[in-house]
Amino acid sequence: MSNLDASDFKKRKRYSGDCRVFRFKNFGENGHPVEFTNASLRENLKALLEFGHLETKLCCKGMPCWSFQLEVHRHPPLHILLFVVEQHIDDDASQLNRHCKQCHYVGWGHNIICNKKYHFLLLSKDHTMVQACLNCKGNNYKYDSAGNYNNNNNIGKTCSLEVESQGHVMHGVFHSNGFGHLLCVNGVEKGSELAGYQIIEFWDRLCSGLRARKVSLNDFSKKGGMELRLIHGVAYKEPWFGRWGYKLERGTYCVTQEMYHKAIEALQGMPLYLLIHHLGPTNHELPLIFTRYQTLSDHCLVTMGDLFQFMLDLKTRLPKENSPGSSSSYNTGFLVETSTCRWSPKRVETATKVIVEALKRARFRWVSRQEVRDAARAYVGDTGLLDFVLKSLGNHIVGNYLVRRSLNPVTKVLEYCLEDISNVLPIQEGNNLLMMNNNNFKVKAMCRVTRFQVMKDMFYLYKSILKDPKLSTGILNAIPVAVRIILDSKYLVKEYCFGDISMKVDEFGVFCTVMIKNNEDVEHGLVKPPLQPYEYITVRNNATIDELKLEVERNFREIYWGLKSFVVEPITNLNDAKGMDLAFGVVEAGQKLVFEGRINKERAIVNEELYECGARNYAVDCTPCGAKDDDGERMICCDICEIWQHTRCVGIPITEGVPHIFLCSRCEQEIIHLPSFP
């Protein structure tokens, strides 16, 4: 165990000499704090770290650490700290786990292990304790994107760098080849001063500025006890992280992208009338919720996707309330549509209450606009405010009453009347389900709807429809199946695409990759080795083929740990080129080239150990779901055939521990059919 101890790290003053303060809102953009170029991630990182403060007291096994002080806002003052830790994958550091489980789970296990990783840690300014420890245990621990530590009980022993802190806001990591992972996000619900979307936008700016290639995350995001990938999937056909371009790359339990999209379509297109027909008789709250939001909508809500999308959109338009119980029965929701008025919501609410009380005293008879206005003037002297509220109140619900407005056909005068609607209005059938009709106008019941109410109703729908185990039988049994598929679609990836790469006048560039030929099967063409991500290599216009090879060797040795002794042989798609030929005359700018080569035998590494996935000294064959590889979910090994399977697939609940002795179904059947001995 090796600890990075910052117990004696003292807070620096805000404007101390060597500590610059950067703005959080634009940190990572070009020019803030550095002019990012179209160079590789390694070059941009080097330029960025020149603006950081080197923390000499924060070190572990020689891993340097830089800090940046970021100002979120000045009034009230709020600062947070960004730490960047450079982790070297050194030959002698045998206790380190060089393999990246995140790369393996998301499908990048064929990438060669990189020489360096860069950990980006965002912490609250009030917490200056950072610990980075080398922890070697039998299980693989990792952060999920909800900020929780998970013990996945994965295959074999792992040894990994773990970064722990109090006040942890974000943890992301970049490999030196430009691939990265967002490991942890803690928003407001986890006690952070920053909302989740602010953290993701900050991370996205970093990825764009540093020119990351691809970035993955394991989507465990939650809001109000609900899985966001499920709620947003039903509403918008994509996870919450889809707002920033993250898309499903790989599912667990052998879930494919086609299965995911079909599950989304099934839930989105579920008719509401079907839910009411089957669930309404036993769940009286569902029709009330459906009716409430249909009255608020300008169009008919037919499917479950329509309903969830409208509720999420409505929540963003509603004003924030101080507490769940702060809303009054006269809290007029029509303010959402008239938020640009010159009166404060409190004054409008007071005038609304006065007008409704005046109409109550009329004992539900029709009263002219002037009578109502005169009665209300005894309490509210602002006639402009009264005129505004009278105009806005027409055909709206306030409390348990509908404020009806109509033009008297004889006197041609506007008249008002209260109607008690405390009982639920009748629901129509067919496609016009939930359209509340009263004298051919639609009631907009904004009065009792607050952000808290919307989230409460959505959570009720989430539990009653999406997470109810009783729906596993009958005509609605497709819902639990689709829900499980969506929840198993967790590995998301964003690919960062950049435009044309500029260079100096006397240079030209090509895209290069390498193929390792240290394997006999590769030599004889029996196995095709995985190609590494292409690197953009620039050389002078007068450079020779040999100089191009040397530049390729230098770059790939600098990036990858297993290629420190890599030597280039012939260029696969330029066999006729000679070493002293000018590269510019043989190779076209922007061309893709594959360089074959070998690793020095004295420093050669077992082929499987070169790659992020590591050696495959285990076998996965989960018969129920069809998985053939470790996907990060909890697994168990049969004590006879030593085949790994998902604990969920073999019927072991997540709440229970792994049994000491386990036999798979195939081995159990073979034992049962063994002949008995006398």
PDB file of all heavy atoms in Angstrom, residues 11 28 58 69 108 326 442 471 591 600:
ATOM      1  N   LYS A  11      -4.179  25.365   2.413  1.00  0.00           N
ATOM      2  CA  LYS A  11      -4.890  26.166   1.406  1.00  0.00           C
ATOM      3  C   LYS A  11      -4.069  27.392   1.039  1.00  0.00           C
ATOM      4  O   LYS A  11      -3.534  28.071   1.900  1.00  0.00           O
ATOM      5  CB  LYS A  11      -6.249  26.627   1.946  1.00  0.00           C
ATOM      6  CG  LYS A  11      -7.227  25.510   2.198  1.00  0.00           C
ATOM      7  CD  LYS A  11      -8.545  26.090   2.652  1.00  0.00           C
ATOM      8  CE  LYS A  11      -9.569  25.013   2.950  1.00  0.00           C
ATOM      9  NZ  LYS A  11     -10.849  25.572   3.404  1.00  0.00           N
ATOM     10  N   GLY A  28     -10.905  25.274 -20.438  1.00  0.00           N
ATOM     11  CA  GLY A  28     -10.876  24.213 -21.443  1.00  0.00           C
ATOM     12  C   GLY A  28     -11.163  24.708 -22.839  1.00  0.00           C
ATOM     13  O   GLY A  28     -10.883  24.001 -23.815  1.00  0.00           O
ATOM     14  N   LEU A  58       2.315  16.531  -2.964  1.00  0.00           N
ATOM     15  CA  LEU A  58       1.384  15.488  -3.363  1.00  0.00           C
ATOM     16  C   LEU A  58       2.089  14.592  -4.362  1.00  0.00           C
ATOM     17  O   LEU A  58       2.164  14.884  -5.537  1.00  0.00           O
ATOM     18  CB  LEU A  58       0.123  16.082  -3.995  1.00  0.00           C
ATOM     19  CG  LEU A  58      -0.700  17.005  -3.114  1.00  0.00           C
ATOM     20  CD1 LEU A  58      -1.907  17.502  -3.876  1.00  0.00           C
ATOM     21  CD2 LEU A  58      -1.127  16.314  -1.849  1.00  0.00           C
ATOM     22  N   GLN A  69      -6.840  26.333  -9.668  1.00  0.00           N
ATOM     23  CA  GLN A  69      -7.919  26.907  -8.877  1.00  0.00           C
ATOM     24  C   GLN A  69      -8.933  27.542  -9.816  1.00  0.00           C
ATOM     25  O   GLN A  69      -8.591  28.415 -10.618  1.00  0.00           O
ATOM     26  CB  GLN A  69      -7.376  27.944  -7.895  1.00  0.00           C
ATOM     27  CG  GLN A  69      -8.441  28.441  -6.921  1.00  0.00           C
ATOM     28  CD  GLN A  69      -7.889  29.357  -5.850  1.00  0.00           C
ATOM     29  OE1 GLN A  69      -8.639  29.942  -5.078  1.00  0.00           O
ATOM     30  NE2 GLN A  69      -6.571  29.511  -5.794  1.00  0.00           N
ATOM     31  N   TRP A 108     -12.506  -1.675 -26.117  1.00  0.00           N
ATOM     32  CA  TRP A 108     -11.201  -1.185 -26.562  1.00  0.00           C
ATOM     33  C   TRP A 108     -10.074  -2.053 -26.022  1.00  0.00           C
ATOM     34  O   TRP A 108      -8.915  -1.612 -25.950  1.00  0.00           O
ATOM     35  CB  TRP A 108     -10.976   0.253 -26.102  1.00  0.00           C
ATOM     36  CG  TRP A 108     -12.043   1.213 -26.537  1.00  0.00           C
ATOM     37  CD1 TRP A 108     -12.908   1.065 -27.591  1.00  0.00           C
ATOM     38  CD2 TRP A 108     -12.371   2.477 -25.938  1.00  0.00           C
ATOM     39  NE1 TRP A 108     -13.750   2.136 -27.683  1.00  0.00           N
ATOM     40  CE2 TRP A 108     -13.443   3.034 -26.675  1.00  0.00           C
ATOM     41  CE3 TRP A 108     -11.869   3.196 -24.860  1.00  0.00           C
ATOM     42  CZ2 TRP A 108     -14.002   4.261 -26.359  1.00  0.00           C
ATOM     43  CZ3 TRP A 108     -12.420   4.421 -24.538  1.00  0.00           C
ATOM     44  CH2 TRP A 108     -13.483   4.946 -25.291  1.00  0.00           C
ATOM     45  N   SER A 326     -44.227  24.624   0.147  1.00  0.00           N
ATOM     46  CA  SER A 326     -44.379  26.079   0.117  1.00  0.00           C
ATOM     47  C   SER A 326     -45.442  26.557  -0.846  1.00  0.00           C
ATOM     48  O   SER A 326     -45.783  27.718  -0.857  1.00  0.00           O
ATOM     49  CB  SER A 326     -43.038  26.718  -0.263  1.00  0.00           C
ATOM     50  OG  SER A 326     -42.657  26.301  -1.552  1.00  0.00           O
ATOM     51  N   LYS A 442     -60.338  23.739 -23.484  1.00  0.00           N
ATOM     52  CA  LYS A 442     -59.441  22.925 -22.680  1.00  0.00           C
ATOM     53  C   LYS A 442     -58.982  23.702 -21.453  1.00  0.00           C
ATOM     54  O   LYS A 442     -58.564  24.839 -21.536  1.00  0.00           O
ATOM     55  CB  LYS A 442     -58.230  22.506 -23.519  1.00  0.00           C
ATOM     56  CG  LYS A 442     -57.298  21.587 -22.794  1.00  0.00           C
ATOM     57  CD  LYS A 442     -56.328  20.898 -23.725  1.00  0.00           C
ATOM     58  CE  LYS A 442     -55.734  21.826 -24.726  1.00  0.00           C
ATOM     59  NZ  LYS A 442     -54.757  21.140 -25.576  1.00  0.00           N
ATOM     60  N   LEU A 471     -46.022  -6.561 -13.384  1.00  0.00           N
ATOM     61  CA  LEU A 471     -46.312  -6.435 -14.805  1.00  0.00           C
ATOM     62  C   LEU A 471     -45.622  -7.515 -15.637  1.00  0.00           C
ATOM     63  O   LEU A 471     -45.693  -7.496 -16.863  1.00  0.00           O
ATOM     64  CB  LEU A 471     -45.871  -5.065 -15.315  1.00  0.00           C
ATOM     65  CG  LEU A 471     -46.572  -3.855 -14.702  1.00  0.00           C
ATOM     66  CD1 LEU A 471     -46.053  -2.577 -15.343  1.00  0.00           C
ATOM     67  CD2 LEU A 471     -48.076  -3.944 -14.890  1.00  0.00           C
ATOM     68  N   GLN A 591      -2.422  10.102 -46.261  1.00  0.00           N
ATOM     69  CA  GLN A 591      -2.582   8.681 -46.574  1.00  0.00           C
ATOM     70  C   GLN A 591      -2.468   7.840 -45.303  1.00  0.00           C
ATOM     71  O   GLN A 591      -1.782   8.215 -44.349  1.00  0.00           O
ATOM     72  CB  GLN A 591      -1.518   8.245 -47.582  1.00  0.00           C
ATOM     73  CG  GLN A 591      -1.657   6.814 -48.069  1.00  0.00           C
ATOM     74  CD  GLN A 591      -0.634   6.475 -49.145  1.00  0.00           C
ATOM     75  OE1 GLN A 591       0.015   7.368 -49.702  1.00  0.00           O
ATOM     76  NE2 GLN A 591      -0.475   5.192 -49.440  1.00  0.00           N
ATOM     77  N   ASN A 600      11.925  -6.087 -29.527  1.00  0.00           N
ATOM     78  CA  ASN A 600      13.194  -6.695 -29.165  1.00  0.00           C
ATOM     79  C   ASN A 600      12.968  -7.937 -28.318  1.00  0.00           C
ATOM     80  O   ASN A 600      12.249  -7.905 -27.321  1.00  0.00           O
ATOM     81  CB  ASN A 600      14.053  -5.676 -28.398  1.00  0.00           C
ATOM     82  CG  ASN A 600      15.469  -6.161 -28.209  1.00  0.00           C
ATOM     83  OD1 ASN A 600      15.726  -7.331 -27.978  1.00  0.00           O
ATOM     84  ND2 ASN A 600      16.392  -5.217 -28.321  1.00  0.00           N
TER      85      ASN A 600
END
